[in-house]
């Protein structure tokens, strides 16, 4: 692909990202938000409309549910998603809390499935939401089962962004914690991504010990206190193990 073609793709997705993150807009409005010529934005929008990924109504452009269709199709191709649904429901019922399945994709932690128990706090989590690996329990559970050199490459590319005042931003501290996670079989995030929330996550490995994802339970610190953490850790480890066994038969 030529440099011009590369730039064209980048510009198209820049427009899509802007619409997705900051909402609909007219051509001039979007051109100002993106610091791009009006004519350029107009041409890209017309192409995106013709492909069905952007819609226009009363001269306002917005992304369409075509992206939802693509994401839904991709999610159902994931072997781990095919085998984890019942486990997430059981964990949510047993703990009453917010339960997610996450995977690593392009150096980020991505939510694949969400299940809310009767007491779950609304975290505005949804399939496709992304977050830094180092700042979330499932991300750390995943990193702990990657080779150290790959973890370092991710740190070099993504940095260690501070999400709260409890986020790990020192790579030496992170590597020490990853070693502890491998030893104990689960990861804990104590307000490292969302202040006041505690998340406990166990990795899902396949029969070759390759990391496939992580199952996570999140709840308010007031409910997931010291006495309850071991209980939840045992639950997520058990479910991760069941999911691992099921993966062998997909």
């Amino acid at each position: 692909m030529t440099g011009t073609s590369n730039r064209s793709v980048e510009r198209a997705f820049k427009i899509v990202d802007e619409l997705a993150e900051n909402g609909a807009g007219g051509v001039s409005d979007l051109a100002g938000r993106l610091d791009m010529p009006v004519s350029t934005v107009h041409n890209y929008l017309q192409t995106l409309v013709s492909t069905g990924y952007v819609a226009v109504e009363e001269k306002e452009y917005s992304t369409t549910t075509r992206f939802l269709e693509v994401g839904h199709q991709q999610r159902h191709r994931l072997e781990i998603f095919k085998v984890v649904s019942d486990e997430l429901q059981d964990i949510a019922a047993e703990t009453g809390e917010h339960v997610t399945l996450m995977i690593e994709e392009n150096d980020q932690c991505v939510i694949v499935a969400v299940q809310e128990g009767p007491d779950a706090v609304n975290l505005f989590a949804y399939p496709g939401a992304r977050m830094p690996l180092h700042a979330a329990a499932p991300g750390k559970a995943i990193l702990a089962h990657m080779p150290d050199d790959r973890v370092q490459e991710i740190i070099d590319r993504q940095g260690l962004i501070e999400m709260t005042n409890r986020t790990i931003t020192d790579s030496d501290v992170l590597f020490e914690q990853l070693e502890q996670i491998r030893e104990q079989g689960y990861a804990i995030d104590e307000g490292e991504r969302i202040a006041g929330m505690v998340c406990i996550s166990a990795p899902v490995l396949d029969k070759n010990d390759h990391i496939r994802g992580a199952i996570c339970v999140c709840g308010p610190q007031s409910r997931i206190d010291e006495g309850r953490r071991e209980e939840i850790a045992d639950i997520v480890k058990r479910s991760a193990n069941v999911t691992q066994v099921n993966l062998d038969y997909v």
Side-chain angles (χ1 to χ4, degrees), residues 100 136-139 141-142 181 185-189 199-203 213-217 232-233 236-237:
T100 51
I142 291 169
I181 291 166
Y186 65 93
I188 293 183
D189 151 17
C199 301
I200 301 174
S201 180
I215 294 172
C216 183
V217 171
I232 292 178
V236 293
K237 286 195 294 182

Side-chain angles (χ1 to χ4, degrees), residues 25 27 45-46 49 54-62 64:
V27 176
L45 285 170
Q46 296 311 301
V49 168
V54 168
V56 57
E57 184 174 352
E58 296 182 356
K59 298 183 179 180
E60 289 279 306
Y61 293 84
S62 61
T64 70

Side-chain angles (χ1 to χ4, degrees), residues 141-154:
I142 291 169
L143 287 173
H145 292 81
M146 289 180 176
D148 285 351
D149 57 351
R150 185 178 175 196
V151 175
Q152 187 60 57
E153 289 172 359
I154 291 173

Side-chain angles (χ1 to χ4, degrees), residues 147-166:
D148 285 351
D149 57 351
R150 185 178 175 196
V151 175
Q152 187 60 57
E153 289 172 359
I154 291 173
I155 293 172
D156 292 342
R157 286 191 293 264
Q158 300 294 326
L160 296 175
I161 300 168
E162 183 176 5
M163 305 289 288
T164 72
N165 61 7
R166 298 184 65 90

Side-chain angles (χ1 to χ4, degrees), residues 30 36 38 58 114 116-117 119 131 148 171 193 199 217 236:
L30 287 168
M36 293 169 60
V38 171
E58 296 182 356
V114 179
E116 294 184 348
D119 301 320
M131 61 200 71
D148 285 351
S171 60
R193 188 176 69 88
C199 301
V217 171
V236 293

Side-chain angles (χ1 to χ4, degrees), residues 1 13 21 24 40 52 61-62 66 72 80 88 100 108-109 117 121 130 137 140 145 179 210 228:
M1 185 178 285
F13 277 101
E21 292 173 10
T40 299
Y61 293 84
S62 61
R66 182 72 188 277
H72 187 74
I80 191 171
L88 297 189
T100 51
Q108 293 181 303
C109 196
V121 173
R130 298 168 183 272
K140 292 192 292 183
H145 292 81
E179 183 176 354
H210 295 149
R228 197 172 176 223

